[in-house]
Amino acid sequence: MKGLVLDAQWKPKADYKVSDWEKQTGKAITGNSVWYNPKLEVREWPDPEVGVHDVLLEIQACGVCGSDMHFYETDDQDYILYPGLTKFPTILGHEFSGKVVEVGKEVTTLVPGDYVTVEEMIWCGRCIPCRNGYPNHCTNLEELGFTIPGAFARYLAVDEKFCWNVDAILERYGVERGLEVAAMSEPTCVSYNAMFERAEGFKPGHFVSVFGLGPIGLAALGLAEAAGAGMIVGFEISPQRRELARALGADHVYDPRDVVPHEVLLELSHGAGFDFNVEAAGVPELTVPEMEKALAINGKISQIGRAAQHVPMYLETFQVRRAQFYGAQGHSGHETFPNVIRMVASGRLDLSSIVTSRYGLEDAVEAIAKSIDRADGKIMVKPQMNGRNGNN
Ligand SMILES: [Zn+2]
Ligand SMILES: [Zn+2]
């Protein structure tokens, strides 16, 4: 079958100490320090094998993520920008929906014809963090589209236990549009996990800021609106994304180059500060110092964006403002997928408007290249779509 394959050369940076585990597994913990000279192309890849617990999915829609963009973009030494766990070559793509077309012998919860969305994190269920209830911190983690083949492909085989039925979403949006909406479950769950599981949410009426309004930030904004924020303020460079944010319920949206964000937040809150602040820009060295200066008493910062950067933080502020900083990663466990699917199916969280471009599989490299503009909402690759995109 065809798939969008990323290959790169294992060439650890001089100052990076490769661990024994990395040597054994061929996985880099800090991708940016190891993977050199990335090459991306649509090419032949072996058909997936369907294990006894697996379902074979015909991929219907797969969103382009900031991480995909960070595989394609390189730093000044020609290393991938993505800082996290990675093993190449592999097929990219991890935000998707699919139709079950075959089931393994021991599959009990799905039948051919079912539509699902899928967790990207293939947690083992056996390591100590998994057994303690922290699948997002599994020590045997594989990640679809990061360490094992993902969904920018015609087909993918995955254990049924990572699949979530999306009938309720298709009932609201119809099959075609519903499958695109369902493909956004994964990034939305990342925002939900960071905001409501890790940072334990905010009270209705609280003031919420979101820095960075790419798909993760837009999902965070939609969730903040649905959860009853008293005011939502967004910061984003792209005018197209600022427009999408307004449509999703942002009260104010600014280009952070035109204003001093903390001054805006203090003014809008009459000096009280913002209660809940989401970092979805992936530039915490710029955004966190701004959030910090506008923290309300009991204020929270939830870090979702990924960046291989040290961040200057003035901890005195966190003491004086009784504030907290939450690191978050992942989307598995903690009722997150079921709750997000419920919110989307109810219409209370409607991200359908943020899909701004569509591409066939043959044009998947172009789809990733387009994401570099950082102007689109969500770019979708639809592997069953024939011919060219696509933009709408
Ligand atoms: Zn993603
Ligand atoms: Zn585990």
Side-chain angles (χ1 to χ4, degrees):
M1 67 166 188
K2 284 273 171 68
L4 176 67
V5 178
L6 184 90
D7 206 352
Q9 198 184 325
W10 177 277
K11 190 177 155 189
K13 287 180 177 172
D15 59 349
Y16 186 70
K17 196 168 160 1
V18 178
S19 68
D20 290 343
W21 183 85
E22 288 174 305
K23 280 179 204 152
Q24 277 160 25
T25 60
K27 293 188 239 182
I29 292 168
T30 307
N32 171 252
S33 299
V34 173
W35 297 110
Y36 173 71
N37 191 21
K39 295 278 179 258
L40 194 59
E41 63 174 339
V42 176
R43 64 166 161 92
E44 277 301 318
W45 187 268
D47 286 341
E49 281 170 36
V50 184
V52 292
H53 296 290
D54 289 350
V55 296
L56 183 67
L57 300 177
E58 185 184 73
I59 306 301
Q60 303 295 315
C62 182
V64 175
C65 172
S67 316
D68 299 318
M69 184 173 86
H70 288 160
F71 293 141
Y72 185 69
E73 286 186 309
T74 51
D75 65 13
D76 52 11
Q77 300 171 65
D78 206 20
Y79 283 80
I80 63 167
L81 281 188
Y82 184 71
L85 187 72
T86 33
K87 182 178 181 178
F88 301 122
T90 201
I91 296 176
L92 301 183
H94 60 275
E95 309 179 349
F96 61 101
S97 61
K99 182 181 183 177
V100 177
V101 291
E102 194 185 320
V103 298
K105 273 207 296 289
E106 293 184 24
V107 168
T108 57
T109 58
L110 292 166
V111 295
D114 282 346
Y115 289 106
V116 297
T117 189
V118 182
E119 297 174 40
E120 164 264 326
M121 307 183 81
I122 306 303
W123 41 270
C124 74
R126 310 182 73 85
C127 71
I128 301 295
C130 277
R131 291 171 64 194
N132 282 339
Y134 307 117
N136 293 316
H137 306 276
C138 173
T139 54
N140 299 315
L141 194 66
E142 297 287 357
E143 295 188 68
L144 296 174
F146 293 82
T147 65
I148 55 175
F152 289 131
R154 303 275 295 185
Y155 297 98
L156 172 74
V158 66
D159 192 310
E160 63 173 330
K161 77 178 182 184
F162 301 109
C163 297
W164 297 92
N165 185 295
V166 293
D167 285 350
I169 293 176
L170 304 198
E171 273 162 35
R172 168 162 292 270
Y173 291 95
V175 174
E176 180 71 24
R177 200 164 173 77
L179 287 167
E180 292 182 359
V181 172
M184 289 189 279
S185 304
E186 189 275 332
T188 307
C189 287
V190 169
S191 299
Y192 186 104
N193 175 67
M195 295 169 72
F196 298 100
E197 168 54 30
R198 280 293 296 120
E200 297 179 327
F202 56 83
K203 291 182 179 169
H206 271 169
F207 288 173
V208 176
S209 79
V210 183
F211 284 66
L213 298 170
I216 293 277
L218 289 171
L221 200 150
L223 286 165
E225 170 75 359
M231 178 168 30
I232 306 174
V233 179
F235 296 95
E236 166 62 43
I237 288 169
S238 149
Q240 190 182 357
R241 289 176 169 179
R242 290 201 297 273
E243 219 34 65
L244 292 170
R246 281 188 196 96
L248 283 173
D251 297 282
H252 307 277
V253 194
Y254 301 95
D255 184 333
R257 297 168 300 189
D258 294 345
V259 296
V260 181
H262 78 268
E263 288 177 9
V264 168
L265 296 176
L266 286 171
E267 200 175 307
L268 288 169
S269 61
H270 303 289
F274 267 58
D275 304 285
F276 198 90
N277 306 278
V278 178
E279 209 291 333
V283 283
E285 69 276 22
L286 302 177
T287 56
V288 168
E290 291 298 318
M291 295 177 184
E292 185 185 86
K293 292 188 196 98
L295 279 170
I297 290 170
N298 292 315
K300 298 177 177 180
I301 297 175
S302 180
Q303 178 70 34
I304 312 178
R306 305 298 295 260
Q309 283 290 343
H310 283 280
V311 175
M313 286 170 78
Y314 186 59
L315 299 183
E316 171 75 6
T317 306
F318 286 80
Q319 294 171 280
V320 177
R321 306 301 283 173
R322 203 173 182 276
Q324 185 63 276
F325 185 95
Y326 297 89
Q329 71 169 7
H331 53 230
S332 293
H334 313 289
E335 305 170 50
T336 299
F337 265 79
N339 285 341
V340 163
I341 290 169
R342 284 180 179 182
M343 285 182 87
V344 172
S346 74
R348 290 185 174 85
L349 177 64
D350 183 353
L351 299 173
S352 60
S353 63
I354 80 170
V355 179
T356 48
S357 313
R358 297 169 177 83
Y359 290 81
L361 183 59
E362 291 296 333
D363 299 319
V365 175
E366 205 183 307
I368 308 257
K370 177 124 197 295
S371 72
I372 310 287
D373 302 343
R374 294 173 170 79
D376 274 86
K378 183 52 79 178
I379 298 172
M380 283 287 164
V381 173
K382 304 186 78 172
Q384 312 304 323
M385 188 169 90
N386 287 321
R388 288 191 67 80
N389 60 77
N391 292 358
N392 70 342

